Amino acid sequence: MQITLVMAAQLRVTRWTGGGAAAWSTSNPQHGRARVMLRLDVADHIAVVTIDHPPVNAQPPELMAEMTAIFDSLSDRDDVRVAILTGTGRMFSAGADLKNRPGPDAPPGTMWSRMRLAREAMYSIMECRKPVIAAINGPAIGAGFGLASVCDILVASDNAYLSLPEIDVGLMGGVRHAMRLFPHSLVSKMVLTGCRVSGEELLQYRVVDACLPLEKLMDHCMDLARTIAAKSPLAIALAKDALVTVGNLSIRDGYRYEQSNTVRLSRTEDAVEARTAVLEKRAPVFKGR
């Protein structure tokens, strides 16, 4: 099956599906050829999204559009309960593709369109109805930091680091996302100096769940994903919804929102099955109803 989606800035994202895997490629009508920049593999309710744009997994507009399309699709897939985002090789993502950065002579609106694509790629991860684990397999720089920061659980390899070096290339970025993860002084240092925060430091700050040798990274993330995938998909969706929503609310309104999700969940077949399984001392069998 082939599905074509027309994206912003005249980008066309096409998905080819076959079995549990899909390759997402992007073509620009002006260039007439497609490149695969993201790989999607689905098995046992776990989706693995891999940034595959060597040598450093930089993010041109085409990749940003692909990212949005993939995570939007995962929200609607009944065969996916959790996702892992990672990169190929020893680099998570070096961020924006500076080689194709719009210059002063670019058509009006080009820069705004580019920034919108970047925002929507990140929002598609944050707002995905399925939890997303970042398997940070190496440096996550600039917009790469942004992709990692909006995931629900972050895990780093020992060769990884996060940085916001935009100040050294005439750009800005990542301040608000960094504020959710780091103390004020460190955010200021990262933004004003472009310094790197290593995987070990990320663990010290509890920004990541673990810092592991690269060869053990995916095993750890898959174990996390299997634990999540074994839960009720309805419960996971409502829990993810609460995690995304309540941070922007007062404590009173946030707790009320969580309680409303509890009421919604308690009326489902999965909730009844969960309670019955506990009483009967057996593993629950969830149907997503």
Side-chain angles (χ1 to χ4, degrees):
M1 178 174 65
Q2 179 172 303
I3 304 173
T4 301
L5 302 153
V6 178
M7 308 301 292
Q10 292 187 319
L11 301 176
R12 182 167 291 122
V13 178
T14 304
R15 178 179 67 175
W16 290 272
T17 60
W24 290 73
S25 67
T26 305
S27 63
N28 188 312
Q30 296 178 347
H31 299 157
R33 60 193 180 95
R35 291 183 296 166
V36 173
M37 294 188 186
L38 292 174
R39 297 200 313 268
L40 172 62
D41 297 284
V42 176
D44 300 323
H45 300 293
I46 299 170
V48 178
V49 181
T50 306
I51 305 170
D52 188 9
H53 188 212
V56 294
N57 293 331
Q59 300 173 43
E62 296 92 340
L63 187 145
M64 299 175 195
E66 290 178 39
M67 190 74 69
T68 301
I70 283 182
F71 280 96
D72 283 349
S73 76
L74 295 183
S75 286
D76 287 340
R77 289 186 61 160
D78 292 335
D79 62 333
V80 174
R81 297 183 181 179
V82 60
I84 298 173
L85 176 63
T86 192
T88 54
R90 299 175 64 85
M91 174 71 74
F92 183 77
S93 174
D97 188 351
L98 295 179
K99 293 180 180 179
N100 297 313
R101 197 75 187 175
D105 57 345
T110 301
M111 182 63 79
W112 299 113
S113 177
R114 172 76 68 94
M115 290 190 294
R116 181 172 291 105
L117 283 171
R119 287 198 305 272
E120 294 306 323
M122 295 178 193
Y123 290 149
S124 71
I125 296 171
M126 180 180 287
E127 297 170 357
C128 182
R129 297 183 68 247
K130 314 301 167 65
V132 183
I133 300 167
I136 309 171
N137 60 301
I141 303 168
F145 169 97
L147 291 180
S149 72
V150 294
C151 294
D152 300 291
I153 301 174
L154 282 63
V155 185
S157 59
D158 55 10
N159 67 306
Y161 65 80
L162 301 182
S163 69
L164 294 170
E166 283 89 344
I167 198 167
D168 294 325
V169 291
L171 299 171
M172 293 285 296
V175 175
R176 186 64 190 91
H177 289 302
M179 286 180 174
R180 295 189 300 106
L181 302 179
F182 296 107
H184 170 79
S185 183
L186 182 54
V187 172
S188 298
K189 182 180 177 182
M190 293 174 70
V191 172
L192 296 173
T193 72
C195 69
R196 301 174 178 180
V197 184
S198 69
E200 184 176 336
E201 292 173 300
L202 294 172
L203 184 59
Q204 291 173 358
Y205 283 110
R206 299 307 301 174
V207 171
V208 297
D209 173 66
C211 178
L212 303 159
L214 180 59
E215 62 271 18
K216 296 182 179 180
L217 177 67
M218 284 303 295
D219 286 342
H220 181 87
C221 291
M222 288 297 293
D223 285 343
L224 275 174
R226 291 187 192 99
T227 299
I228 294 171
K231 311 296 184 184
S232 160
L234 294 176
I236 289 298
L238 288 170
K240 170 71 186 272
D241 173 68
L243 286 167
V244 172
T245 304
V246 300
N248 298 317
L249 302 175
S250 68
I251 294 176
R252 183 181 181 86
D253 291 339
Y255 190 44
R256 182 186 294 118
Y257 189 89
E258 290 180 67
Q259 288 180 317
S260 70
N261 277 1
T262 297
V263 172
R264 292 169 61 191
L265 180 61
S266 67
R267 295 170 177 169
T268 66
E269 291 182 26
D270 274 6
V272 174
E273 168 64 11
R275 293 190 292 269
T276 303
V278 170
L279 294 173
E280 296 178 352
K281 298 181 179 180
R282 60 173 174 80
V285 179
F286 296 119
K287 300 179 180 178
R289 299 197 297 263

